[in-house]
Amino acid sequence: MRQRIGSGMAIAAMLAMTVGEVPAMAAPARGRVSAERVHADLAFLAGPQLRGRGSATTDEATAAAYVAAQFEAVGLVHAPGMGSYLQTAPVLRQTWGGTPELLVGGAKAPGVTLLSGAGGVWGGKVMVLGATKQAGKADVLVVSDPATPQATIGKAATAAGASLIVLPESERTRRLVQSSGGRPRMPAAFADDAPVGRTATVSAGPEAIAMLRRDGVRAVLSVPFALERTQTTNAVGYLPGTDPKAGVILLSAHLDHLGVAPDGTVWPGANDDASGTVALLEIARVLATGKRPRRGVLFVGYGSEERGGFGARWFGEHPPVPLERIIANIEFEMIGNRVEKFGNDRLMMTGFERSNLGPSLRAHGALVDADPYPEENYFRRSDNYALALKGVVAHTVSGWGAPPTYHTPQDTPERVDDAFMVRAIESLLSPIRWLASNRFQPRWNPGGRPTE
């Protein structure tokens, strides 16, 4: 059932019942970013009350209600056609039902960890990657060298038609477990669709790998699972422009994170992406208290970025204004740490070379440069991509995408550089004001628009 909250009193009541008092702050100087407010919002969103804002959980919904309350407090209104500051989407997902079991030649293999994939039974004929005796089609692809590039593994699995990939346990696989909050990544879908998957990936210790390398062996993986119906929540606010024909700018961030691990450990997600959500709130406050821009501005805090990008995908399918009216989308992601490869206080814009937006913002004072980590493919790894696939010129502005705290329980407010965040947000205000008040039209460069 969709949750409809249409007034500040209702949102405040929900927050009071759920987490107690929300931060109280003095009114900041008009037209300036408030360092006090940045610190307080970050401390609340990444604090113990919200338990890491797990995707499509009640904690995420509480975070969305908080963001919505802030939108209303600064004077944003409901987006066109919406009767609330909240937008919900029904999600059906598989959940981990227990320890997977890998049988090799009928014997149980020890030390097997599910990394990702669907529940059910997978397996059959085994092929060892790189072994000259193995060729053709196979159901199970065994990788014995932990240094094998991911691209090589993917190509081999596709060529073989494998439904199960077995990786040797290594620092890389342990990092994958850690970065997913201690739980495997399992399929999810909007509730009208079935959450299905065609492959599974596990890590295995040396004994299991040795069992799998025997000639002619067959292997079967059983993954227990259950189905869970839930919903994800977006917070949406709107600043109307003075010219209805001038188009709309979409500013966004994702308000969810990894939540609570199976062992009870909380993953606070201060940098990822409470920091971007704080930027969204501060820019909303500053723009709403100034002169109304020519273009309308949509402010959206997405849910479930970490578990399938459902919030952004739902928004793209159910936008409050036609997508052709959205002239550009700027996502704020992980701005709590400076970019390691930049020598000064600058941000990177993913896909900078794909459109004319980044260079134009930089020409008007934005401290943004091209992404210095193209091998990480960050352009595809944030919520901007869902809109970019639909034709909207959409990019993410970010700090360093891989600090030591990334997807760990150590991503806490104490490890975020508040001063850098304030400077980063300040640097974006004038360029965004210019974009909102100018006749400049963002365009994809030839070949820049993604298609898949």
Side-chain angles (χ1 to χ4, degrees), residues 93-97 114 116-119 184-188 223-225 307:
R93 62 187 179 191
Q94 288 189 7
T95 58
W96 192 23
L114 180 66
S116 65
R185 295 185 177 273
M186 301 189 74
V223 180
F225 73 97
R307 301 288 182 183

Side-chain angles (χ1 to χ4, degrees), residues 9 56 117 137 273 293 328 348 389 411:
M9 291 182 65
K137 297 295 183 179
D273 187 31
M348 66 181 186
L389 286 174
D411 184 9

Side-chain angles (χ1 to χ4, degrees), residues 393-406:
V393 176
H395 300 264
T396 291
V397 171
S398 181
W400 186 18
T405 58
Y406 174 68

Side-chain angles (χ1 to χ4, degrees), residues 34-369:
S34 165
E36 179 191 12
R37 199 174 188 97
V38 165
H39 180 82
D41 281 337
L42 185 72
F44 179 72
L45 288 168
Q49 304 99 319
L50 296 190
R51 305 193 314 155
R53 313 179 309 284
S55 300
T57 64
T58 56
D59 298 315
E60 178 200 82
T62 302
Y66 175 76
V67 171
Q70 299 302 311
F71 285 164
E72 184 174 22
V74 302
L76 300 186
V77 299
H78 295 162
M82 291 183 61
S84 168
Y85 291 95
L86 299 177
Q87 181 186 52
T88 59
V91 175
L92 180 65
R93 62 187 179 191
Q94 288 189 7
T95 58
W96 192 23
T99 304
E101 182 178 71
L102 179 65
L103 298 180
V104 181
K108 183 176 179 180
V112 174
T113 300
L114 180 66
L115 301 177
S116 65
V121 179
W122 308 97
K125 179 183 175 182
V126 174
M127 181 175 76
V128 179
L129 182 61
T132 56
K133 294 181 181 180
Q134 300 285 356
K137 297 295 183 179
D139 304 296
V140 182
L141 178 70
V142 178
V143 181
S144 54
D145 182 358
T148 305
Q150 187 60 45
T152 301
I153 297 171
K155 288 179 182 178
T158 300
S163 60
L164 173 61
I165 300 171
V166 182
L167 304 176
E169 185 180 6
S170 65
E171 182 58 36
R172 182 168 72 172
T173 64
R174 288 189 288 271
R175 175 65 173 166
L176 284 172
V177 173
Q178 181 187 54
S179 67
S180 65
R183 61 176 67 85
R185 295 185 177 273
M186 301 189 74
F190 293 119
D192 291 339
D193 304 317
V196 297
R198 296 185 175 88
T199 62
T201 301
V202 300
S203 65
E207 184 178 346
I209 296 293
M211 294 170 66
L212 289 161
R213 290 178 64 89
R214 296 199 302 262
D215 289 343
V217 75
R218 296 178 69 85
V220 176
L221 176 76
S222 299
V223 180
F225 73 97
L227 289 176
E228 178 184 38
R229 291 185 178 272
T230 183
Q231 68 178 22
T232 193
T233 309
N234 296 334
V236 184
Y238 184 58
L239 179 63
T242 59
D243 182 356
K245 298 181 180 180
V248 174
I249 298 168
L250 170 60
L251 304 180
S252 57
H254 74 88
L255 50 79
D256 68 307
H257 193 57
L258 297 176
V260 183
D263 65 0
T265 301
V266 173
W267 301 60
N271 189 33
D272 184 15
D273 187 31
S275 67
T277 305
V278 170
L280 189 72
L281 292 174
E282 273 300 278
I283 291 172
R285 182 186 60 77
V286 173
L287 291 187
T289 55
K291 181 181 177 181
R292 280 181 63 190
R294 177 172 172 265
R295 288 167 164 149
V297 185
L298 273 168
F299 296 86
V300 182
Y302 293 123
S304 290
E305 188 267 358
E306 297 286 0
R307 301 288 182 183
F310 288 105
R313 288 162 53 196
W314 185 265
F315 181 88
E317 294 292 338
H318 304 83
V321 300
L323 289 181
E324 56 267 23
R325 289 191 57 208
I326 299 178
I327 66 153
N329 169 216
I330 302 173
E331 173 93 357
F332 308 112
E333 173 93 51
M334 296 177 63
I335 64 167
N337 294 106
R338 67 189 68 211
V339 182
E340 187 185 39
K341 290 188 177 182
F342 292 163
N344 49 20
D345 288 350
R346 303 187 73 82
L347 296 163
M348 66 181 186
M349 176 176 277
T350 65
F352 186 89
E353 70 289 346
R354 289 175 175 264
S355 80
N356 64 355
L357 180 59
S360 299
L361 292 175
R362 185 165 65 181
H364 287 83
L367 300 179
V368 295
D369 283 321

